[in-house]
Amino acid sequence: MMRLPQFHYYRPRDVDEAAQILAGEDDAMVVAGGTDLLPNMKRRQQTPRTLVALRHIDSLKKLTNGAGLTIGAGVTLTSLEQNKTVKSAYAGLWQAAAQVATPHLRNMGTLGGNICLDTRCNYYDQNHEWRKAIDFCMKKDGDICWVSTGSKKCLATSSTDTAPALIALRAEVELVSAAGRRTLPLQHLYQDDGIHYLTRRREEILTNIILPQAGATRSTYWKLRRRGSFDFPVLSVAAALEFDEHDVIADARVVLGAVASQPVVCAAVNEQLRGKGLTDEVIEDMAAACAKAAKPVKNTDFAPHWRKRAVAHVTRCALRELRGDDMRETRKKLARQSLI
Amino acid sequence: MSNTDTFSIIGKPRRRVDGADKVTGRTCFADDIILPRMLHCKLLRSHVPHARIRSVDVSRAERHPGVNLVLTGRDFPNEYGILPVSQDEQPLCRDKVRFVGDPVAAVVARDEFAAEEALDLIKVEYEPLGTISDPVDALNNPAARLHDYSEEGNIHKRLSYEFGDVEESLADSAHVFEDVFFFEGNTHLPLEQHAAVGMQEADGRITLWSSTQCPHYVHRAVAKALDIPMAHIRVIASPNGGGFGGKTDPFNHEIVVVKAAQMLGRPVKCCLNREEVFYCHRGRHPVLMKFRTGVDENGALTGMHLQTLLDGGAYGSYGVASTFYTAVLQPVTYHLPRYAFDACRMFTNKPPCGPKRGHGTVQPRFGQEVQLDKIAAKLDMDPAVLRLNIVEKPGALTANYLKIGSIGLAQCINTVTERCGWKDRYGKLPEGKGMGLACSSYLTGAGNSIYWNAMPHSGVQLKLDRSGKVTVFCGATEIGQGSDDVLVATIAEILGIDPLDIRCVTGDTDLTPVDLGSYSSRVTLMMGNAAIQAAERARGMIAQAVAEKFATDTGSIAFSNGRVFEIGQPEHVLSFRKALVCAEEMHGSLGTTGSYTPPDPPGKYKGGGVGPSPAYSYTAAVVEVDVDTETGWLTVPRVYIAHDLGRAMNPVLARGQVEGSVYMGLGEALMEESAFRRLPARLSNALVHREPSMLEYKSPTSCDMPEVITDMIEHPDDNGPFGAKEAGQGPLLPVMPALANAVYDAVGVRIDEVPITAEKILQALDDKARGGAGRVGPDSFPDIEWPEPFRVPPPWEGGDGNAVNKPARKRAAKMHEMDKFKKVDAS
Amino acid sequence: MNRVTTLKRSTQENAHISCRVNGEPVQVSVAPCKTLLEMLREDLRLTGTKHGCELGECGACAVLVDGDPILSCLSLALDAEGCAIDTIEGMAQDGQLHPLQAAFADLGGAQCGYCTPAILLTAKALLDRQPNPGRDRIREALSGNLCRCTGYQQIFEAVEEAILRLRRTEQGTDLKSVPVGARHNP
């Protein structure tokens, strides 16, 4: 039986209390659903001395409709999946949430947890004994990156499903610490470094995810993985497009997941899409541009060159779906489920 | 016995006898055993792939709070191993470690927490040795030798056989096809991790519970490894949470818990974690294969020369048998007038390969069925027609002297092709959609034990008494396949009673007669025949007593529906319970035995003992695919399978075996692989299992599983109980080649290796677009110095089953352990 | 209230948990770094809950917490405080198999039986909320439970059969769930 190491456990009842505990502890981590942290602890990838549980904080479990939608970081992925507003107004987020891991893990895992998901690498996501056999890597206990032995930085892959969808939807996140609170675009929560992949400070708690009013924005999320369940993405494409009354794109956001240490916002693509209609030709150009932006490395399932090739196909699927093409059969084949 | 209408239980869909236990959580698996004062054991495993052990310092671990005992290789003087010819394993490594995961020390403590902490305190000094990562590496680097007893360098075993002059046949053939294929290794991945509990009784005798498929073989190994008389050891096979061949070897932890229990006088449990299960392995050998096959202008086979190269991993395991199995069953499916094979198994610094569902026969079946598809394409023949023309005949004796009984393969082919609309759809589907056909055969029990002896392969005992209850005892092991159900159903059928009137005691070497274990698809046939004999003997005793009571002859006594009666005399009837009272009055206490020994194989040549089986099952499958030509993304909408299992004893369970085989076959075909990672040599000596986890070893989920249309075809075999043959392994074999053939039908590329992934399909499509052959697969087979073949003329060329030559064989280095082995055997 | 628990694995000062297990109140003293899986199997000796990886990669350890299927291997025992936990041991009621259990036993839904407890509980949670799911819904609901034996098809069929049996029971027709240890009359 894989066992947890020892830890101190705090069960704060509100965010302030949690923030204070974090401020006073050097080696503490917050834990919500536990589906990312606890396996990592069992494999000794992460070994915090102190765990601060967020699951008992009711304010983090709220979904609030206002000008947009404010989602508490402690809302489970299943709750998101079952929320009618999310499904109708933020389809991309819904599709992303519904494809995380497995139904059981979605019952446990939270949106905040998925956003902060530890970057993944198949030299890193291994038991301590295995990592000892390769003499560890720079992300934990070692000093080399085995993915690219010349690399100065860790190349672990951002594997969150919900973040690309949320970034495409222009989500902001709220961070709270004992010192105060700040809000920033979700995109800015990330940086392209497998170890320091979050700009969140250690003592900060992700409390809310704030989505602007959906308005006329249509969104979608396409995920590639070997199996229709369990697996993390080896590539994902999130897109949110706002069309004017003439079916011309007024605003565009295409975000790639699992091709770098952070979600990749295809800024050039977004620029190019604005003011255009989604003709086949435009879609082809965008698919090629996205493939160019993707830089997958050899640390997930599937070969990097194949993942890069697949970007064009998946981007095309995403944009065609937003155009209104019937993509149900293709979706079923790629996702192994209908997602309707 | 050709019609299920004459049976009351056999052939009827029925709740399995252990069904209620399994759905209520009452089935007690090995790790569910909790005993008073029980301690827990963890193994320290090597983190280096190949090294001499300079020293092991356990002093700090011994002082750790909660630790009761620390064991090392020095505590275990004797080697063991499943095959007498490869006694090359040590319970804990003494001198050398041979792969990452080889166990070096064991800690026994009050709980797993303390044991785990103490493992970190053990200091092992290693002297690194050269590392062998694959068979070609092994051929090229004989000096970095894993075992002194190998034939030479790292060649574990080479085989060479000729059944007729194949070269002559090929020269005379209308066409000769030469193809090289590769089948990647994969593993069983039973959901239950291996666990064992050792206990010393107050009088010093030993009990071992283990999730093993073969308690009898574990019994022998524990006795040998620890110098304990077999009579003082009781091995109980706990119900297995899946086996698939992965629990057929004796394992380190089983021997370690017995030793620890002996030394401490307390029960000791060891339950492996998932990573350790990957290290126990004994899974599918990676096999490189070269086929040279001749056919006439109609596609009939004229001769075949097959060469196989196996990546054996670090130990022998069943490897010598596996090596034979990569070749010996080729002639069983289609008529093959002449056949030659060379097979070679190499040692490498990886977890040992062994028997996985379809043991050794899966890889060459893939090669042959894909090659047949190529032959059909070249000859512009329908692959189904080509196969129907060459199906071997019932009762045939093959070129390599395997005696076949019933063959329902033609009906299997006709069934799947009709179900899927083959005639209208094959070759006519739109680009990207395709269907492929493949066939196979498999043995129903190996004709020989893993150690030579003339004793029965399966024994059954019955105890009956005045309560009306029957208790049946058999050494067979329930691994989920339903062997307890087959056993009870067989007895109930013959005695005309309800299965619930029978108590079943299995897999316990103290209580049950020897059965060799749940492997090689042997249980239904061998245990079933032994059960029939025991039950018929009991029926005879009861009939004699009842006949006397009714003053008639025993031939007039019938058993049905819980009653024993005189045929045609409605008033001459007793309940089964009252009949047992009569029988007990007449005979005294009631008990019978039955046993089964397979028929002598017709092949008398050396090595002819691997391949013979009392009966062979046959399967045909059609796999449908849908391929995206831009990415190679592959979807399997449907699989049609028809399996000739002789007789479905309980159709619910039999179908489960067939569909479970399709599932596992699809996993192998699409995504499962036991791949290894060697880090850059200038930076590291590491050679590790790439992803020993359930997340990254891809087992298909419910979302990935296609619809399966299953037909069970019944061609009863004279050697099978009620005509039954196997169902649990054969149906796996055609799935991978049928899928490969379907990909060709869909997009015109050949993936000549397994698994068949989107990446490989895309690579082949690219190759084709550039004007290449549109093929992904190995290019060549390495040069291997083969020994002089045993030349055995086929039956139709005047052969009598003996070799006509006496090739010199370099004897493997003598293993000092062999003497010890014999000693234990004799005791 | 801020509750702090200090934990040291080897000097295990146990935590005391009060919860409901299979409908009954339970108080258990447990090493605080244990998961719910370890608490159920080792401290309450409810070994019907299985484990296949302990990392959330197989689904064998699923139990119901407040009616939801979750993985006990990734739940802290400490978090079971005040929860209602259902395990396979409580699924049969009053000596009667739940219709799902009966259908699995009858139709080959359980082969080795190792993934079975988790699959049964997951299916029960599905049917408790959605009495008449189609094949695709069943397939997706069970997609977090690996089964290496069956190929899933007989599992889907058993769930569908249980749906029929449940409906017939509700409608008061004669087909009741089969009693535990039902006598089979071929």
Side-chain angles (χ1 to χ4, degrees):
Chain A
M1 183 95 77
M2 298 286 289
R3 308 269 179 179
L4 287 166
Q6 66 182 60
F7 52 87
H8 301 270
Y9 190 65
Y10 290 85
R11 270 194 278 223
R13 292 288 159 162
D14 58 46
V15 172
D16 289 347
E17 208 177 346
Q20 267 163 29
I21 300 167
L22 279 176
E25 293 271 345
D26 281 346
D27 187 12
M29 287 182 76
V30 295
V31 58
T35 56
D36 183 32
L37 180 59
L38 297 191
N40 284 2
M41 287 175 69
K42 287 184 177 184
R43 291 185 296 238
R44 307 299 190 265
Q45 293 159 259
Q46 291 175 312
T47 47
R49 251 169 47 85
T50 300
L51 290 185
V52 181
L54 303 181
R55 61 188 299 135
H56 307 280
I57 302 177
D58 289 336
S59 68
L60 295 179
K61 299 179 193 167
K62 288 192 181 133
L63 263 144
T64 323
N65 265 313
L69 182 67
T70 300
I71 307 167
V75 168
T76 64
L77 296 161
T78 298
S79 307
L80 271 189
E81 203 181 332
Q82 289 168 351
N83 186 285
K84 290 200 169 67
T85 310
V86 172
K87 189 169 180 180
S88 58
Y90 304 100
L93 174 60
W94 179 80
Q95 288 161 338
Q99 290 185 81
V100 174
T102 73
H104 303 82
L105 290 161
R106 294 196 294 274
N107 284 341
M108 307 166 74
T110 63
L111 181 59
N114 192 252
I115 287 172
C116 295
L117 183 77
D118 193 12
T119 53
R120 301 186 59 84
C121 172
N122 47 28
Y123 291 93
Y124 165 69
D125 291 298
Q126 303 275 3
N127 284 1
H128 182 265
E129 290 70 24
W130 189 97
R131 287 183 291 119
K132 187 176 177 188
I134 64 159
D135 198 22
F136 303 104
C137 76
M138 66 166 71
K139 190 159 159 73
K140 177 67 178 163
D141 301 325
D143 47 24
I144 193 167
C145 175
W146 289 111
V147 181
S148 171
T149 52
S151 179
K152 291 276 181 284
K153 73 170 185 183
C154 166
L155 297 174
T157 296
S158 168
S159 305
T160 159
D161 285 300
T162 55
L166 285 165
I167 292 171
L169 289 163
R170 296 189 182 280
E172 299 197 324
V173 288
E174 178 191 68
L175 298 167
V176 173
S177 68
R181 83 183 49 212
R182 61 177 177 133
T183 308
L184 70 164
L186 175 58
Q187 184 183 344
H188 296 161
L189 183 66
Y190 297 104
Q191 55 193 8
D192 197 19
D193 180 314
I195 294 171
H196 307 287
Y197 60 100
L198 292 179
T199 60
R200 180 178 68 96
R201 292 192 290 275
R202 191 200 56 75
E203 69 278 11
E204 283 182 320
I205 301 164
L206 171 61
T207 49
N208 282 303
I209 295 89
I210 306 136
L211 283 165
Q213 200 146 29
T217 301
R218 284 183 240 156
S219 61
T220 186
Y221 180 78
W222 286 68
K223 172 177 184 172
L224 258 194
R225 53 176 166 177
R226 181 90 52 182
R227 301 178 293 178
S229 188
F230 283 101
D231 295 342
F232 289 94
V234 296
L235 160 67
S236 63
V237 177
L241 302 182
E242 196 186 322
F243 294 90
D244 68 13
E245 60 275 22
H246 309 295
D247 269 350
V248 168
I249 296 165
D251 185 25
R253 303 267 282 175
V254 179
V255 184
L256 306 180
V259 291
S261 296
Q262 64 176 346
V264 173
V265 180
C266 299
V269 172
N270 299 344
E271 281 304 312
Q272 289 168 39
L273 277 170
R274 208 162 294 150
K276 291 194 179 130
L278 271 185
T279 61
D280 284 353
E281 198 184 4
V282 168
I283 290 176
E284 275 319 307
D285 289 349
M286 296 308 108
C290 283
K292 209 170 157 199
K295 303 265 189 298
V297 293
K298 200 173 165 51
N299 64 355
T300 68
D301 190 16
F302 287 106
H305 66 268
W306 183 85
R307 286 159 65 205
K308 194 168 167 66
R309 283 274 293 272
V311 173
H313 178 70
V314 180
T315 307
R316 194 180 303 119
C317 291
L319 294 178
R320 286 185 59 198
E321 190 183 67
L322 289 179
R323 183 169 71 180
D325 293 9
D326 184 356
M327 299 302 291
R328 284 176 298 183
E329 201 188 326
T330 313
R331 173 76 87 171
K332 180 93 207 269
K333 281 183 211 161
L334 277 188
R336 312 282 184 221
Q337 37 185 301
S338 307
L339 293 170
I340 44 175
Chain B
M1 284 195 190
S2 60
N3 191 338
T4 42
D5 292 348
T6 62
F7 300 127
S8 50
I9 293 168
I10 298 300
K12 306 282 190 293
R14 217 166 26 78
R15 173 181 294 188
R16 58 191 295 161
V17 295
D18 47 1
D21 279 348
K22 287 183 195 269
V23 298
T24 50
R26 290 190 201 192
T27 303
C28 186
F29 297 94
D31 192 39
D32 300 339
I33 296 168
I34 300 170
L35 299 174
R37 302 187 75 230
M38 187 170 78
L39 299 169
H40 297 266
C41 172
K42 298 285 283 182
L43 302 179
L44 178 73
R45 292 178 183 269
S46 168
H47 67 278
V48 295
H50 196 193
R52 223 173 288 289
I53 299 171
R54 278 222 192 98
S55 63
V56 184
D57 179 0
V58 300
S59 53
R60 284 181 66 209
E62 283 173 334
R63 291 195 300 270
H64 189 69
V67 170
N68 298 68
L69 177 70
V70 182
L71 295 168
T72 68
R74 278 168 308 171
D75 297 300
F76 299 92
N78 299 345
E79 271 71 8
Y80 69 97
I82 184 68
L83 297 188
V85 293
S86 48
Q87 298 286 299
D88 58 0
E89 299 188 52
Q90 297 167 347
L92 297 170
C93 297
R94 247 193 331 267
D95 317 309
K96 257 179 102 168
V97 290
R98 295 180 173 87
F99 67 98
V100 171
D102 223 359
V104 177
V107 174
V108 181
R110 67 167 174 232
D111 54 32
E112 284 198 349
F113 293 113
E116 201 178 78
E117 285 159 7
L119 289 185
D120 286 342
L121 304 175
I122 298 174
K123 204 170 152 45
V124 186
E125 245 191 292
Y126 292 111
E127 177 191 329
L129 298 169
T131 302
I132 302 296
S133 64
D134 62 53
V136 174
D137 195 10
L139 285 167
N140 294 339
N141 295 292
R145 197 171 184 191
L146 272 80
H147 292 281
D148 295 338
Y149 82 94
S150 53
E151 280 189 8
E152 60 181 68
N154 281 310
I155 297 172
H156 174 200
K157 185 75 186 170
R158 270 173 305 199
L159 307 171
S160 205
Y161 288 84
E162 266 186 30
F163 305 94
D165 188 341
V166 172
E167 289 306 321
E168 184 188 77
S169 294
L170 295 184
D172 293 345
S173 296
H175 304 274
V176 176
F177 291 80
E178 186 172 318
D179 290 286
V180 188
F181 300 95
F182 178 64
F183 201 108
E184 180 58 284
N186 53 53
T187 201
H188 322 81
L189 203 79
L191 221 42
E192 178 211 21
Q193 299 138 316
H194 308 45
V197 180
M199 182 185 75
Q200 182 172 251
E201 293 168 47
D203 58 16
R205 291 185 294 182
I206 291 293
T207 300
L208 170 67
W209 290 265
S210 183
S211 42
T212 179
Q213 298 176 232
C214 301
H216 174 62
Y217 294 155
V218 170
H219 193 190
R220 286 163 47 86
V222 170
K224 189 200 170 213
L226 299 176
D227 286 326
I228 308 171
M230 282 179 82
H232 294 180
I233 305 170
R234 175 183 186 184
V235 178
I236 301 173
S238 304
N240 286 202
F244 316 117
K247 296 168 181 170
T248 51
D249 283 61
F251 286 106
N252 314 71
H253 63 281
E254 294 171 321
I255 296 163
V256 167
V257 294
V258 169
K259 179 78 181 174
Q262 263 191 319
M263 290 173 73
L264 294 166
R266 293 173 68 170
V268 176
K269 184 199 278 185
C270 182
C271 181
L272 305 186
N273 67 30
R274 181 53 61 182
E275 186 177 0
E276 293 178 287
V277 174
F278 278 98
Y279 295 150
C280 285
H281 193 43
R282 323 286 158 156
R284 184 93 62 227
H285 285 74
V287 178
L288 183 66
M289 306 157 256
K290 179 175 164 185
F291 285 81
R292 286 171 65 231
T293 306
V295 293
D296 68 15
E297 55 285 346
N298 299 317
L301 304 175
T302 55
M304 177 190 286
H305 183 191
L306 171 62
Q307 295 183 316
T308 62
L309 177 61
L310 294 80
D311 184 343
Y315 292 97
S317 181
Y318 282 81
V320 173
S322 316
T323 309
F324 273 102
Y325 279 128
T326 63
V328 294
L329 288 201
Q330 291 316 100
V332 174
T333 314
Y334 310 109
H335 181 66
L336 185 56
R338 284 177 178 174
Y339 181 47
F341 71 82
D342 310 302
C344 174
R345 185 180 193 260
M346 305 299 297
F347 285 124
T348 57
N349 291 113
K350 299 189 287 197
C353 296
K356 183 187 171 192
R357 206 172 197 168
H359 191 190
T361 69
V362 171
Q363 300 94 327
R365 179 53 44 197
F366 171 75
Q368 185 175 1
E369 293 296 321
V370 173
Q371 191 181 48
L372 281 176
D373 206 59
K374 296 182 182 188
I375 293 170
K378 173 88 187 241
L379 301 185
D380 198 21
M381 282 181 78
D382 179 335
V385 173
L386 182 139
R387 286 177 170 84
L388 280 169
N389 289 344
I390 59 173
V391 166
E392 187 51 284
K393 302 275 180 298
L397 184 61
T398 67
N400 60 338
Y401 290 87
L402 301 182
K403 181 79 182 106
I404 304 173
S406 76
I407 301 183
L409 182 55
Q411 195 186 339
C412 291
I413 296 173
N414 288 328
T415 303
V416 289
T417 51
E418 274 163 33
R419 284 243 189 255
C420 73
W422 179 264
K423 282 207 179 78
D424 301 324
R425 296 173 69 212
Y426 172 73
K428 300 174 183 124
L429 294 170
E431 177 76 0
K433 292 190 196 298
M435 56 207 315
L437 170 72
C439 303
S440 64
S441 53
Y442 196 68
L443 35 97
T444 306
N448 287 292
S449 163
I450 56 117
Y451 64 101
W452 188 90
N453 71 82
M455 292 175 281
H457 287 214
S458 188
V460 167
Q461 263 178 343
L462 291 185
K463 163 191 160 303
L464 315 88
D465 69 30
R466 61 196 82 175
S467 69
K469 162 170 283 189
V470 177
T471 311
V472 54
F473 301 88
C474 178
T477 307
E478 175 59 53
I479 62 169
Q481 85 283 44
S483 60
D484 281 4
D485 192 73
V486 167
L487 181 59
V488 168
T490 302
I491 307 290
E493 180 68 46
I494 289 169
L495 296 180
I497 56 177
D498 188 280
L500 269 189
D501 297 332
I502 302 171
R503 169 72 66 182
C504 173
V505 180
T506 50
D508 180 331
T509 62
D510 259 19
L511 302 184
T512 61
V514 169
D515 175 280
L516 297 178
S518 287
Y519 69 99
S520 88
S521 275
R522 52 175 297 288
V523 177
T524 290
L525 188 141
M526 300 204 191
M527 173 194 75
N529 280 327
I532 288 175
Q533 189 177 58
E536 283 181 343
R537 284 173 176 166
R539 190 170 62 179
M541 293 171 82
I542 300 163
Q544 194 188 353
V546 174
E548 186 183 78
K549 184 178 175 74
F550 294 136
T552 181
D553 56 301
T554 54
S556 309
I557 301 298
F559 292 67
S560 173
N561 266 325
R563 294 169 311 133
V564 183
F565 56 94
E566 186 180 353
I567 297 163
Q569 298 285 335
E571 70 284 8
H572 284 178
V573 57
L574 294 176
S575 68
F576 184 72
R577 187 181 68 79
K578 289 214 171 115
L580 284 184
V581 170
C582 288
E584 208 175 324
E585 284 168 352
M586 175 185 269
H587 302 288
S589 291
L590 298 171
T592 62
T593 63
S595 54
Y596 179 76
T597 308
D600 281 340
K604 308 295 177 206
Y605 57 92
K606 185 175 160 54
V610 189
S613 174
Y616 296 88
S617 75
Y618 287 84
T619 320
V622 168
V623 173
E624 287 182 8
V625 298
D626 188 325
V627 180
D628 175 65
T629 48
E630 191 190 351
T631 56
W633 188 259
L634 179 60
T635 303
V636 179
R638 234 162 271 104
V639 175
Y640 303 85
I641 189 144
H643 179 67
D644 167 25
L645 43 46
R647 165 94 57 219
M649 304 284 277
N650 180 343
V652 176
L653 272 59
R655 194 187 130 207
Q657 288 301 302
V658 174
E659 291 179 1
S661 297
V662 171
Y663 168 81
M664 201 162 270
L666 278 171
E668 297 189 21
L670 296 167
M671 52 183 88
E672 296 184 29
E673 51 183 330
S674 294
F676 288 79
R677 192 188 281 293
R678 189 176 205 172
L679 297 189
R682 69 195 155 79
L683 295 172
S684 169
N685 194 37
L687 172 64
V688 288
H689 192 294
R690 199 167 70 195
E691 285 138 339
S693 76
M694 286 191 97
L695 181 65
E696 296 301 334
Y697 183 90
K698 304 295 184 186
S699 179
T701 73
S702 58
C703 287
D704 306 298
M705 189 61 190
E707 186 188 354
V708 181
I709 295 97
T710 307
D711 279 281
M712 288 180 282
I713 307 296
E714 297 188 319
H715 282 235
D717 194 288
D718 290 345
N719 284 339
F722 310 104
K725 306 193 283 189
E726 75 92 38
Q729 304 195 66
L732 180 146
L733 278 80
V735 176
M736 293 73 73
L739 192 138
N741 295 341
V743 167
Y744 180 73
D745 184 42
V747 291
V749 298
R750 290 287 178 192
I751 310 302
D752 287 344
E753 58 178 57
V754 164
I756 295 162
T757 62
E759 293 125 304
K760 290 176 191 170
I761 293 174
L762 187 58
Q763 188 189 334
L765 286 168
D766 286 351
D767 181 49
K768 197 178 157 201
R770 286 192 300 265
R775 171 184 180 268
V776 167
D779 294 325
S780 62
F781 191 91
D783 283 333
I784 294 168
E785 195 187 321
W786 301 104
E788 182 196 343
F790 284 95
R791 295 198 169 84
V792 186
W796 41 86
E797 293 183 19
D800 62 357
N802 286 296
V804 293
N805 62 338
K806 284 188 181 163
R809 281 287 179 269
K810 195 186 290 181
R811 271 191 70 86
K814 185 172 176 293
M815 299 182 59
H816 60 283
E817 293 80 18
M818 290 300 291
D819 298 334
K820 217 164 271 163
F821 185 79
K822 283 181 191 130
K823 189 182 80 192
V824 173
D825 246 10
S827 66
Chain C
M1 197 189 97
N2 180 18
R3 291 173 53 182
V4 181
T5 321
T6 305
L7 312 173
K8 280 218 173 67
R9 227 171 64 151
S10 26
T11 60
Q12 304 184 337
E13 246 179 63
N14 278 0
H16 296 274
I17 312 284
S18 302
C19 55
R20 292 183 79 78
V21 177
N22 297 323
E24 291 168 5
V26 164
Q27 305 233 341
V28 56
S29 168
V30 59
C33 62
K34 278 193 176 183
T35 58
L36 177 59
L37 169 70
E38 292 159 82
M39 178 182 105
L40 289 171
R41 287 182 55 84
E42 296 167 359
D43 299 285
L44 295 174
R45 302 205 170 183
L46 293 171
T47 54
T49 302
K50 302 303 176 196
H51 60 101
C53 71
E54 304 99 60
L55 296 169
E57 300 172 352
C58 74
C61 67
V63 297
L64 305 186
V65 172
D66 298 332
D68 290 326
I70 58 101
L71 300 184
S72 60
C73 76
L74 299 184
S75 305
L76 295 177
L78 293 168
D79 289 331
E81 179 69 33
C83 293
I85 296 153
D86 288 303
T87 71
I88 191 64
E89 285 88 351
M91 197 162 164
Q93 298 275 322
D94 307 323
Q96 298 275 313
L97 292 182
H98 186 282
L100 274 165
Q101 291 175 303
F104 270 61
D106 289 340
L107 299 185
Q111 276 190 30
C112 79
Y114 202 78
C115 69
T116 309
I119 291 188
L120 282 168
L121 290 164
T122 306
K124 177 174 182 295
L126 171 69
L127 300 193
D128 284 350
R129 295 217 169 120
Q130 195 177 341
N132 196 18
R135 173 70 64 101
D136 278 352
R137 182 72 197 98
I138 296 167
R139 185 188 290 277
E140 285 159 26
L142 298 180
S143 66
N145 298 96
L146 288 181
C147 168
R148 284 292 277 178
C149 294
T150 61
Y152 305 106
Q153 199 153 272
Q154 288 182 316
I155 290 177
F156 301 150
E157 289 170 10
V159 175
E160 285 159 359
E161 171 66 16
I163 293 167
L164 287 179
R165 291 184 189 181
L166 276 161
R167 200 183 302 156
R168 279 184 218 144
T169 311
E170 265 170 27
Q171 288 166 356
T173 51
D174 55 343
L175 204 145
K176 293 222 175 69
S177 55
V178 188
V180 176
R183 194 175 181 85
H184 173 74
N185 294 309

